[in-house]
Amino acid sequence: MASLMELKEIFRSADAVCFDVDSTVIREEGIDELAKFCGVGDAVAEMTRRAMGGTVTFKAALTARLGLIRPSYEQVQKLISDNPPQLTPGIRELVSRLHQRGVQVFLVSGGFQSIVEHVALQLNIPTTNVFANRLKFYFNGEKYAGFDETQPTAESGGKGKVITHLKEQFHFKKVVMIGDGATDMEACPPGDCFIGFGGNVVRKQVKEKAKWYITHFDELLKELEER
């Protein structure tokens, strides 16, 4: 197991940094915001709580919650325009600094492609560097028709699969994963360094188990200035 000092060195010399999105890059949870917007916020929040504490797989929890929300294409677009995702303080500066250093930045999320791509554009991250779940709509482009179950992020352990894919495709030697949740922590390995983030919400399990835990992105900016 790497020490904190070794993890910091991996971060400073990383080829690629992968960020979780909900409650990490943005302040809110996309699925909860969509549920509120569609009038089923309380019911979905209760399902989320049960999923977090139980033995439900990620895919089963996602299927159940989306089955309750059943968002139309129009509702998703209206959510983005009326209530755009709020960037976490410091993330814009951190991504910009990583880009200046020639580090590839990816968004790896269990959230929805359309919302995550909106976030990527704000951070000058190419949409080809987004890995997220895709909602499906019927051919008239309106009614909800499920989600693309072939996406790696639709499965438990999916973020690790994305990192394995990135290492194989780009021959990255050191990949860092940053996020607030257990699914982010579980992505290392194959990720080389996990940084727990508690700036928006503190997950007890992650705070206790992560060797490197931060509450503000300024802490990572300072690490980059060390070198």
Side-chain angles (χ1 to χ4, degrees):
M1 291 288 286
S3 67
L4 178 59
M5 193 177 295
E6 287 167 332
L7 291 177
K8 289 184 173 186
E9 178 52 36
I10 290 169
F11 173 66
R12 286 195 295 265
S13 59
D15 307 297
V17 176
C18 298
F19 287 92
D20 171 48
V21 177
D22 294 337
S23 297
T24 301
V25 167
I26 62 173
R27 303 191 70 124
E28 55 276 286
E29 287 284 324
I31 195 163
D32 290 345
E33 294 303 307
L34 185 58
K36 279 187 231 168
F37 195 76
C38 296
V40 289
D42 290 344
V44 168
E46 178 56 33
M47 289 172 100
T48 300
R49 275 195 294 277
R50 284 208 303 270
M52 293 270 186
T55 54
V56 186
T57 65
F58 181 83
K59 184 183 276 188
L62 185 62
T63 303
R65 286 179 289 176
L66 282 172
L68 195 59
I69 303 169
R70 301 194 68 78
S72 68
Y73 177 81
E74 187 183 349
Q75 282 173 317
V76 174
Q77 296 309 308
K78 194 160 170 49
L79 171 69
I80 294 168
S81 63
D82 291 5
N83 300 301
Q86 301 299 303
L87 292 178
T88 300
I91 187 63
R92 200 187 291 274
E93 294 80 3
L94 177 58
V95 170
S96 176
R97 187 77 185 95
L98 288 167
H99 281 156
Q100 285 168 16
R101 292 165 68 95
V103 178
Q104 288 251 37
V105 178
F106 297 86
L107 299 180
V108 184
S109 172
F112 307 122
Q113 187 90 11
S114 48
I115 295 173
V116 178
E117 284 186 351
H118 177 81
V119 173
L121 290 170
Q122 292 183 69
L123 296 171
N124 294 316
I125 295 170
T127 53
T128 49
N129 286 19
V130 167
F131 293 85
N133 288 315
R134 295 175 185 272
L135 294 171
K136 295 198 292 191
F137 302 96
Y138 285 111
F139 65 89
N140 61 7
E142 179 56 28
K143 288 187 177 175
Y144 173 70
F147 64 97
D148 183 354
E149 297 189 19
T150 66
Q151 294 298 315
T153 49
E155 295 270 14
S156 299
K159 292 179 181 181
K161 288 178 185 168
V162 170
I163 290 176
T164 297
H165 163 74
L166 293 176
K167 284 188 161 188
E168 288 171 355
Q169 183 175 358
F170 297 107
H171 307 292
F172 294 140
K173 298 277 191 298
K174 295 176 188 172
V175 178
V176 173
M177 181 76 213
I178 301 173
D180 67 286
T183 58
D184 308 307
M185 189 161 58
E186 289 161 5
C188 299
D192 301 279
C193 166
F194 170 66
I195 304 171
F197 182 72
N200 293 310
V201 60
V202 175
R203 316 267 183 213
K204 186 168 178 280
Q205 177 190 5
V206 176
K207 187 176 182 183
E208 287 174 356
K209 292 188 177 176
K211 279 208 171 168
W212 190 0
Y213 193 81
I214 64 167
T215 55
H216 202 289
F217 287 125
D218 280 356
E219 295 170 64
L220 297 183
L221 271 170
K222 281 178 190 153
E223 284 300 324
L224 295 178
E225 303 310 326
E226 298 279 310
R227 183 169 166 176

